């Protein structure tokens, strides 16, 4: 980003160029969707309390990066919060839990509560950042609520399966086996198996146990563009020429 800005600022404007005008940095929308791996990477080893210890560092890094890009000319920032990982098939299989920790929708209560705690921390940090950068748009985007709704009520949104992966191996509730990921072929219990994609991904929220399907991402994109999940409210149509999603 910094190197690119130097090139844009230094190169002459004469003749044809594939580089944008220097004012592009102030006109751009900077979108942050980061933190999930920081949250989930050590969950199985450290547990929720262990992971929570370094989450403030993650939030602090996001806030400082916004300020860094602001110094380069950025003025409009979206920060998407953390998804309800307690509903992900991969973590329902991998993470230690008791059956009492499963809610009525099949999601892990304690892990989803920990995500909510992180999101509240992120929201508070962005509120402070907003005060520090008075002429910037620092927007908290609540995609967590959107995805949680899809996992909990897939049928209400034209889907069929919430906590079951489309591409995986093993069938059952989650169709996820941590020994063989989507698209891979491996020996499992002396048998050669392949984690294949389902024939109807349009009916699933989860693609491979961790990532969302195109269908779920499309619904999430619609929800974001609708503007009801911004804090504070953000007039997207004032800044962008929104076109229908194909």
């Amino acid at each position: 980003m910094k190197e690119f800005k130097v090139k844009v600022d230094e190169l002459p404007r004469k003749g044809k160029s594939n580089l944008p005008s220097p004012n592009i940095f102030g006109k751009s929308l900077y979108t942050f969707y980061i933190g999930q791996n920081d949250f989930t990477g050590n969950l199985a080893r450290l547990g929720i309390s262990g992971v929570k210890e370094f989450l403030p560092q993650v939030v602090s890094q996001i806030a400082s990066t916004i300020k860094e890009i602001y110094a380069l000319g950025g003025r409009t920032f979206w920060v998407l919060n953390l998804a309800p990982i307690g509903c992900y098939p991969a973590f329902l299989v991998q993470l230690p839990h008791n059956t009492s920790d499963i809610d009525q929708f099949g999601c892990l209560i304690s892990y989803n509560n920990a995500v909510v705690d992180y999101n509240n921390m992120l929201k508070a940090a962005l509120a402070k950042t907003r005060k520090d950068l008075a002429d910037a748009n620092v927007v908290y985007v609540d995609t967590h609520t959107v995805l949680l709704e899809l996992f909990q009520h897939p049928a209400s949104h034209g889907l069929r399966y919430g906590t079951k992966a489309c591409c995986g191996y093993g069938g059952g509730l989650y169709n996820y086996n941590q020994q063989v990921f989507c698209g891979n072929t491996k020996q499992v219990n002396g048998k050669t198996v392949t984690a294949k994609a389902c024939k109807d991904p349009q009916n699933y929220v989860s693609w491979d146990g961790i990532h969302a399907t195109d269908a779920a991402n499309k619904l999430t994109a619609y929800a974001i563009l609708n503007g009801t999940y911004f804090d504070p409210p953000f007039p997207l149509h004032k800044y962008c020429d929104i076109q229908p999603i194909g």
Side-chain angles (χ1 to χ4, degrees):
M1 171 78 183
K2 291 177 180 177
E3 291 175 2
F4 180 61
K5 188 175 190 305
V6 168
K7 292 183 184 296
V8 170
D9 289 343
E10 287 183 349
L11 288 178
R13 298 289 107 194
K14 297 177 182 178
K16 292 184 177 180
S17 173
N18 291 325
L19 291 174
S21 169
N23 69 355
I24 190 68
F25 298 98
K27 294 166 60 179
S28 297
L29 170 63
Y30 299 88
T31 304
F32 294 75
Y33 186 35
I34 195 165
Q36 178 170 297
N37 289 346
D38 299 281
F39 190 96
T40 63
N42 293 304
L43 262 178
R45 183 170 62 89
L46 299 179
I48 292 173
S49 60
V51 168
K52 276 188 172 182
E53 289 183 12
F54 62 81
L55 289 182
Q57 298 174 37
V58 178
V59 170
S60 176
Q61 185 65 50
I62 292 172
S64 64
T65 303
I66 290 174
K67 292 179 178 179
E68 206 169 346
I69 295 177
Y70 176 90
L72 296 173
R75 289 298 181 269
T76 304
F77 307 90
W78 282 6
V79 184
L80 281 62
N81 60 7
L82 198 64
I85 61 106
C87 298
Y88 284 19
F91 301 126
L92 282 159
V93 171
Q94 293 176 359
L95 296 178
H97 62 275
N98 298 317
T99 54
S100 59
D101 196 28
I102 301 290
D103 66 17
Q104 61 179 314
F105 305 105
C107 300
L108 293 165
I109 299 170
S110 59
Y111 293 99
N112 274 350
N113 286 345
V115 168
V116 171
D117 290 342
Y118 168 84
N119 286 340
N120 288 336
M121 189 190 312
L122 175 64
K123 190 174 184 178
L126 294 180
K128 184 180 184 303
T129 305
R130 198 175 298 122
K131 290 181 180 178
D132 295 339
L133 309 177
D135 62 333
N137 293 299
V138 180
V139 183
Y140 174 84
V141 186
D142 187 15
T143 49
H144 175 276
T145 293
V146 180
L147 286 166
L148 186 63
E149 168 65 20
L150 294 181
F151 278 116
Q152 291 181 341
H153 306 103
S156 299
H157 304 278
L159 308 173
R160 290 185 64 188
Y161 307 104
T163 56
K164 183 178 182 178
C166 164
C167 186
Y169 170 76
L173 288 175
Y174 308 122
N175 191 36
Y176 180 85
N177 187 308
Q178 55 191 329
Q179 296 181 63
V180 52
F181 298 123
C182 172
N184 291 344
T185 298
K186 285 188 176 181
Q187 288 279 331
V188 177
N189 298 325
K191 181 182 177 183
T192 301
V193 300
T194 301
K196 298 180 179 179
C198 61
K199 295 180 180 179
D200 56 340
Q202 71 277 5
N203 288 323
Y204 288 73
V205 176
S206 179
W207 165 242
D208 59 359
I210 297 175
H211 305 95
T213 59
D214 282 354
N217 280 331
K218 186 174 181 179
L219 290 168
T220 302
Y222 272 128
I224 293 173
L225 297 177
N226 187 39
T228 55
Y229 295 93
F230 295 141
D231 182 30
F234 178 73
L236 181 61
H237 291 270
K238 177 181 175 183
Y239 291 85
C240 304
D241 180 20
I242 306 297
Q243 299 295 323
I245 301 175

